[in-house]
Amino acid sequence: MRLEAQGLRKKFGSVEALKGVSFIIPSGRILVLLGPSGCGKTTTLRILAGLLKPDSGRIFFDGKDVTELPSRERKVGMVFQSPALFPNLTVRENIAFPLEARGKRPEEIGRRVKEVVELVELSGLEERRPHELSRGQQQRVAIGRAIASEVKLLLLDEPLTALDAGLRAEISSVIRTIQRKLSITTVYVTHDQLEAFAMGDFIATMFDGTIDAYADAQTMYAKPPTEKTARFLGFVNRLETMAEYLGSGTFRLVFPRGEFRTRWHGPEADVKVTVLFRPEDASISLEGEGMLEGELLNSMFAGRNVVTRVKTSQGMIECSGNDFHQYQAISGMIGRKVIVKINLDKALLMQTSGF
């Protein structure tokens, strides 16, 4: 089912929770709404489910306007942070509940429950009650209950938040497998970036009640469309410099320690640019080629990598790498001058506004 949201707005008193949210999800794909707490993700989800009515805007399922359609008629399944299972019902009965509520025949309910139990990998546990299940198994039941009615749209509101790392990986795999097998159009809400890229075909970043950027997951990771989204996704280092157009999509960037060429789909003209890059795309050395020079302020061993911070004339630069021999070499050199080299192939260039 193709889902389209057009200009959704919602106020709670004087607080404008949504300020014109719009997006389209192709049939059978997963859109992740990614953003900090309070940005409007859950409000959007509840409006899609029919649990809230937007102040304005429309929702379309396969081109049909369902904005005024009651929740029970939308064929939408929803999974929350908490499984919210009926404690007095078994696994089988919890999954069967929405089917019974819709008046399905007993033989149809039995067949569907069996299919769902197998999908969520709970075979053999059908007669257990929630208190007899692990936290991960409880969330599997919640997922099973959400899809039992053969829904057209699956909504997941941070379903992994309360789980530990091992269970998060397990349940995310279950969700992705089920979604692909059933081709259910899905909207997944999270504030966790790693979770977003693991789950989403498409990602929309949200801030302050608006969609800031929308792209497929690969594009969003490598080339975020806006600076705000880029910085949220880890492009924490920011420089401004001149970019001289050399022709054929090639530019020469001017840095304090020299000029360096790079490819960029920018304007065919000399422009001032903002250069954004992740810490893992910057490295330091005591000598050799590089863009900047600065003072090594600190170095921290962070398990899988080594994080260093360098104070330069262009501001603070954070670098990250897994060269532990280098860490040992520089750990006693706090206060020394170092050279910062940037991997321009992975950097994000944006024309500086107002230039």
Side-chain angles (χ1 to χ4, degrees):
M1 182 198 72
R2 182 179 186 270
L3 170 65
E4 181 175 0
Q6 292 183 356
L8 299 178
R9 293 182 176 274
K10 184 66 181 178
K11 289 183 73 174
F12 297 101
S14 62
V15 178
E16 195 172 8
L18 298 184
K19 304 174 183 178
V21 168
S22 300
F23 54 80
I24 295 174
I25 313 174
S27 180
R29 309 302 288 276
I30 296 182
L31 169 67
V32 173
L33 296 179
L34 172 65
S37 297
C39 70
K41 305 185 300 294
T42 295
T43 299
T44 302
L45 218 61
R46 292 175 68 83
I47 288 175
L48 295 176
L51 302 176
L52 284 176
K53 185 177 179 180
D55 297 331
S56 62
R58 314 305 295 174
I59 301 165
F60 297 89
F61 289 2
D62 278 336
K64 178 184 177 182
D65 191 337
V66 299
T67 312
E68 304 298 330
L69 200 66
S71 177
R72 65 181 178 275
E73 297 179 26
R74 293 194 186 189
K75 293 188 176 180
V76 172
M78 195 161 181
V79 180
F80 302 92
Q81 291 182 23
S82 169
L85 303 177
F86 297 108
N88 60 317
L89 300 185
T90 65
V91 168
R92 184 193 307 279
E93 291 166 339
N94 266 283
I95 294 174
F97 182 83
L99 298 169
E100 293 171 346
R102 291 177 182 272
K104 300 294 183 180
R105 297 190 307 272
E107 61 271 19
E108 186 178 351
I109 293 174
R111 175 188 58 79
R112 182 57 181 165
V113 169
K114 185 175 185 298
E115 291 174 353
V116 171
V117 165
E118 290 175 356
L119 268 175
V120 296
E121 301 174 11
L122 289 173
S123 297
L125 304 179
E126 294 91 337
E127 302 309 319
R128 291 191 184 183
R129 288 179 167 75
H131 73 274
E132 299 174 300
L133 302 173
S134 70
R135 185 64 175 78
Q137 289 168 339
Q138 291 176 16
Q139 197 65 309
R140 286 172 187 254
V141 177
I143 295 166
R145 185 176 59 187
I147 64 172
S149 298
E150 299 180 321
V151 296
K152 291 184 177 181
L153 177 65
L154 180 60
L155 307 175
L156 301 112
D157 190 4
E158 306 212 42
L160 309 183
T161 298
L163 304 179
D164 60 36
L167 285 177
R168 287 165 72 93
E170 174 189 316
I171 301 303
S172 63
S173 177
V174 169
I175 292 171
R176 203 67 168 105
T177 299
I178 290 172
Q179 191 275 333
R180 284 175 173 159
K181 280 184 177 180
L182 302 181
S183 293
I184 302 176
T185 303
T186 301
V187 183
Y188 188 107
V189 160
T190 184
H191 63 274
D192 187 290
Q193 296 172 30
L194 293 177
E195 193 175 311
F197 287 109
M199 299 301 300
D201 298 312
F202 300 91
I203 293 175
T205 50
M206 288 190 72
F207 305 103
D208 193 29
T210 63
I211 299 288
D212 184 68
Y214 181 105
D216 65 85
Q218 292 77 19
T219 299
M220 188 67 85
Y221 182 82
K223 300 291 180 183
T226 70
E227 180 174 344
K228 188 171 186 176
T229 287
R231 292 177 74 81
F232 182 71
L233 295 180
F235 287 78
V236 296
N237 295 312
R238 185 183 191 277
L239 305 173
E240 288 189 356
T241 188
M242 287 300 305
E244 179 186 352
Y245 182 60
L246 302 178
S248 302
T250 301
F251 288 79
R252 180 163 49 218
L253 303 186
V254 180
F255 292 98
R257 297 192 80 250
E259 300 175 346
F260 298 82
R261 295 190 180 193
T262 190
R263 302 280 297 176
W264 179 41
H265 296 296
E268 295 182 354
D270 297 352
V271 292
K272 189 174 183 180
V273 296
T274 298
V275 183
L276 302 166
F277 54 100
R278 292 186 168 99
E280 59 264 34
D281 297 321
S283 59
I284 62 172
S285 61
L286 296 176
E287 57 184 15
E289 190 179 72
M291 288 73 172
L292 303 166
E293 186 176 72
E295 177 188 352
L296 179 63
L297 291 186
N298 56 54
S299 179
M300 180 178 66
F301 174 68
R304 291 184 299 176
N305 56 7
V306 176
V307 178
T308 56
R309 302 183 76 219
V310 181
K311 182 179 180 181
T312 76
S313 61
Q314 301 288 302
M316 197 70 64
I317 301 296
E318 185 173 305
C319 308
S320 176
N322 55 11
D323 187 339
F324 299 107
H325 295 295
Q326 183 191 53
Y327 167 72
Q328 292 175 336
I330 67 173
S331 59
M333 299 182 181
I334 304 303
R336 289 277 302 271
K337 293 296 181 182
V338 294
I339 297 167
V340 177
K341 185 174 182 178
I342 304 163
N343 183 350
L344 291 177
D345 289 339
K346 294 187 176 180
L348 188 63
L349 273 60
M350 294 183 174
Q351 184 173 354
T352 300
S353 60
F355 180 76

